[in-house]
Amino acid sequence: MIQGNARQRYTAGAVRYGLLILGAAILILPFIYMLSTSAKPHTLLLEYPPKLIPDEPTVDNYVQAWSANNFGLYFLNSTLVAVATTFCTVLLSAMMAYSFARFRYRGRSVLFGAVILGLTIPTMLLIIPQFLLAKDLGLLNSLPGLIPFYVGTQLAFSTFLLRAFFERIPLELDEAMIIDGAGPWRRFWSLALPLAKPALATSAIFTFLGSWDEFVWALTVINDVAQRTLPIGLALFQGQHATSWGLVFAGSVIAVVPVIIVYIVFQRQIVSGLTSGALKS
């Protein structure tokens, strides 16, 4: 009987790990193919059957992608926009979430419901009103014209995530600081924000990803070559009659590198922030 239970546990574990390995392989295979294609010469891009490991890897595609079509400038523009958007979104959503979680005032639930309603509105429906608003404010064709739109689209999710985390902070900590004479701002900066680092990191990485990869609004607003962002620069490698696939894949790898670096730096806080909402202290 004992041997039978041990065999069942062994079989269940083997199936579980097998499914996990299969899922990981399915997720990582496109990234490996992208790396492989970006390191192939142009003459071997369409070889059949395709090889994951090229016989003679080359960095020519990376050199050409970086030097062509102001790609370095687009990379810098995307970095500035993504960093500014992440900072503004995390700061504003943290203040809003702290207000919803720690204070009691009339209309609090209605305001929070209005913020969460933003999660249900497709961003495509906002393109025309956002464009008219940006035009009236003189923000068209400029990098500052991108940031308010990105902040607005990311604010709802970030506020929802941070509110759940702030609600888990014991009220006794606030009461202890109030006895010491701390006001709301001091409790927010000195108590809530340091304790919410995992949730802040999670919010920051999702906001960074959302603004780094955004294409439609940037294509709608930006016409000036010097103001374009990285997704638009990648689209320029695709011509009307031919596409430089080697440059496309090399540019995609370059675009992915900052995201991987950000995830590696904050991975512990991100995992902690994602799992904290499922646990109760």
Side-chain angles (χ1 to χ4, degrees):
M1 184 66 181
I2 295 176
Q3 291 181 349
N5 292 336
R7 190 180 298 110
Q8 289 179 354
R9 287 197 299 270
Y10 176 79
T11 303
V15 171
R16 183 167 57 250
Y17 283 109
L19 291 175
L20 290 174
I21 293 173
L22 178 62
I26 293 174
L27 291 176
I28 203 172
L29 187 60
F31 182 73
I32 294 176
Y33 180 75
M34 182 174 67
L35 281 175
S36 171
T37 306
S38 68
K40 291 180 179 178
H42 294 286
T43 54
L44 299 178
L45 289 177
L46 301 179
E47 66 176 342
Y48 185 84
K51 296 180 179 177
L52 282 182
I53 301 177
D55 296 331
E56 298 179 358
T58 177
V59 295
D60 290 345
N61 291 325
Y62 289 94
V63 175
Q64 294 181 34
W66 186 261
S67 59
N69 298 329
N70 296 316
F71 199 77
L73 177 62
Y74 303 156
F75 189 93
L76 177 62
N77 290 341
S78 283
T79 302
L80 294 175
V81 171
V83 170
T85 301
T86 302
F87 176 78
C88 294
T89 301
V90 173
L91 180 62
L92 292 175
S93 60
M95 290 190 290
M96 293 170 60
Y98 186 75
S99 170
F100 291 136
R102 311 301 280 186
F103 298 107
R104 299 292 180 266
Y105 50 87
R106 182 174 298 177
R108 180 175 65 99
S109 300
V110 176
L111 289 175
F112 181 68
V115 172
I116 297 304
L117 188 63
L119 291 172
T120 64
I121 301 176
T123 55
M124 289 299 175
L125 295 180
L126 301 175
I127 292 294
I128 294 178
Q130 291 274 4
F131 180 83
L132 297 176
L133 181 61
K135 180 181 178 181
D136 293 338
L137 296 176
L139 295 176
L140 294 180
N141 211 23
S142 66
L143 294 180
L146 301 176
I147 297 173
F149 176 81
Y150 293 162
V151 172
T153 54
Q154 301 288 340
L155 204 58
F157 172 76
S158 184
T159 302
F160 176 77
L161 177 69
L162 292 174
R163 176 180 177 268
F165 197 92
F166 286 139
E167 285 184 334
R168 297 179 61 247
I169 299 176
L171 291 174
E172 290 78 6
L173 296 178
D174 283 62
E175 294 171 355
M177 293 196 69
I178 292 174
I179 294 174
D180 290 337
W185 278 106
R186 185 181 168 191
R187 300 200 302 273
F188 173 70
W189 290 106
S190 303
L191 174 66
L193 285 186
L195 292 177
K197 283 183 180 178
L200 293 174
T202 306
S203 172
I205 187 65
F206 278 106
T207 304
F208 186 86
L209 287 174
S211 56
W212 181 264
D213 296 334
E214 204 283 331
F215 175 76
V216 175
W217 177 246
L219 184 65
T220 304
V221 173
I222 302 296
N223 290 321
D224 190 353
V225 174
Q227 303 295 318
R228 288 171 176 168
T229 55
L230 202 55
I232 301 177
L234 285 174
L236 295 178
F237 291 138
Q238 302 181 31
Q240 183 177 2
H241 302 289
T243 299
S244 303
W245 289 112
L247 301 184
V248 171
F249 282 102
S252 300
V253 172
I254 295 174
V256 167
V257 169
V259 177
I260 295 177
I261 293 175
V262 170
Y263 178 77
I264 292 175
V265 172
F266 296 105
Q267 60 175 331
R268 184 171 299 177
Q269 288 82 2
I270 293 170
V271 173
S272 177
L274 290 175
T275 56
S276 61
L279 302 174
K280 290 185 177 181
S281 58

